[in-house]
Amino acid sequence: MRSVEVIQARAGAEPVRFGLILGSGLGHLAQAVQGVAIPYADLRGFPHVSVSGHDPNLHVGTLEGVRVAVFGAREHYYEKGNPSAMRPALECLKALGAQSLILTNAAGSLRPDIRPGDLMLLGDHINVSGLNPLIGEPTDARFVPMTDAHDPGLRAALRAAAQAEGVALPEGVYAWYSGPSFETPAEIRAIRTLGGDAVGMSTVPEVILARFLGLKVAAISTITNMAAGLSDEKISHEHTKAMAPLGAAKLERLLRRFLNMQNLA
Ligand code: HPA
C-alpha cells in the first residue's frame, strides 16, 4: 500500500492542514497530538532514521483543534549522503492535503544576542553545503524560486503567536552545513561574514522540497549552543540533546498557540 493509503486507513481521510517536523530533542510535542502514531517503518519511502534523540513516528490527528501530521524525526543529509531523503515523506504530506509545513531544528548561534535556550525564526537561509535535493529532478519544476521561501504570512503568524505567549522570537539567517562533524571556528567566522546568524545540519533541503511541492514553509531554530569558537563550552551531540529541552518548552507553547490561532482564524 502507498504511504498515503496506510495513513488514511489508520488515521482517517480528513485532510491534514499542517505538517510539522520536529528537530533533535523537540519530540515532546508529538505526544500531545490526539490521534495515531504510525511508525516510519510502516510507511513506504519514509526514512530509516539513525540519529539518537529522534522519534521515528508520524503522528496524525488534531493538535489545538487543527488537523496535523507531526514528523517525530527527519533523515539528515549526513546520515546517508542523500539530500532528498525527505522527499517521499513530504510528497506524502502534500497528498494528505497539507498546505503548510513548519520545520524545527536545533542550531548553534553566531549572534551574541541569541543565546542557548533562545528561539530564532528563520527569515532566510544560506545553503553553505552547495547540495540540493532537486539535483536530478528532470522537469522544469526544479527551477524553484527561493525569494520569500520562508513564507511571510506564516512568519507573521508565528511572531504573533510568540508575542501572545511572551516568547522572544528574533528573526535570523540559518546556514545549512552538511555535518555530521561540527564546524571549525574558521568556518563559523566565514559563515558570519556571509551573513549567517545560526548554523545547523538540517532544514534547508526540506525548505527547498516544500517549495518545490507548493507547500508554504516556515522554520524555527532552538539554539542549543554558541557556534564553534564563540564560547568555551564543548560542542557535542550529547550537549545538543541536553540543551534542546531548554528551548523546547517555549517552542511547544509557541507552536500550540500558533495552531490555536489558525483554528480560530
Ligand atoms: N552546528 C551545527 N549544528 C548544530 C549546532 C552547531 O553548532 N548546534 C546544534 N546543531
Side-chain angles (χ1 to χ4, degrees), residues 106-108 182-183 199-201 224-225 227 235 240:
F182 285 95
E183 305 75 27
V199 63
M201 304 177 192
T224 54
N225 56 281
I235 298 174
T240 297

Side-chain angles (χ1 to χ4, degrees), residues 31-137:
Q31 305 311 318
V33 177
Q34 292 171 299
V36 295
I38 305 171
Y40 284 3
D42 295 354
L43 300 172
R44 203 194 294 164
F46 274 56
H48 300 280
V49 177
S50 65
V51 190
S52 62
H54 288 252
D55 152 42
N57 285 284
L58 182 70
H59 302 258
V60 183
T62 50
L63 189 56
E64 299 294 332
V66 180
R67 180 96 164 150
V68 294
V70 178
F71 296 75
R74 54 161 59 91
E75 182 175 324
H76 303 77
Y77 169 73
Y78 63 71
E79 290 175 67
K80 297 194 191 117
N82 178 10
S84 59
M86 292 301 287
R87 181 167 171 170
L90 292 178
E91 284 171 341
C92 174
L93 177 67
K94 173 83 179 174
L96 290 171
Q99 294 151 12
S100 305
L101 174 66
I102 307 293
L103 302 164
T104 66
N105 61 49
S109 174
L110 284 74
R111 268 199 10 213
D113 59 321
I114 303 182
R115 312 291 307 172
D118 290 349
L119 304 180
M120 188 190 91
L121 177 63
L122 276 63
D124 203 344
H125 69 237
I126 302 174
N127 184 351
V128 185
S129 79
L131 298 157
N132 198 295
L134 297 177
I135 291 173
E137 163 62 35

Side-chain angles (χ1 to χ4, degrees), residues 24 35 42 45 103 117 131 170-171 205 223 227 232-233 257 263:
S24 301
D42 295 354
L103 302 164
L131 298 157
E171 206 170 85
I223 301 301
D232 294 335
E233 73 194 343
R257 177 65 77 116
N263 189 23

Side-chain angles (χ1 to χ4, degrees), residues 157-169 253-254 257-258 261:
L158 287 164
R159 278 196 300 266
Q163 196 171 16
E165 284 296 323
V167 170
L169 190 63
R253 270 168 47 218
L254 190 166
R257 177 65 77 116
F258 165 78
M261 290 163 89

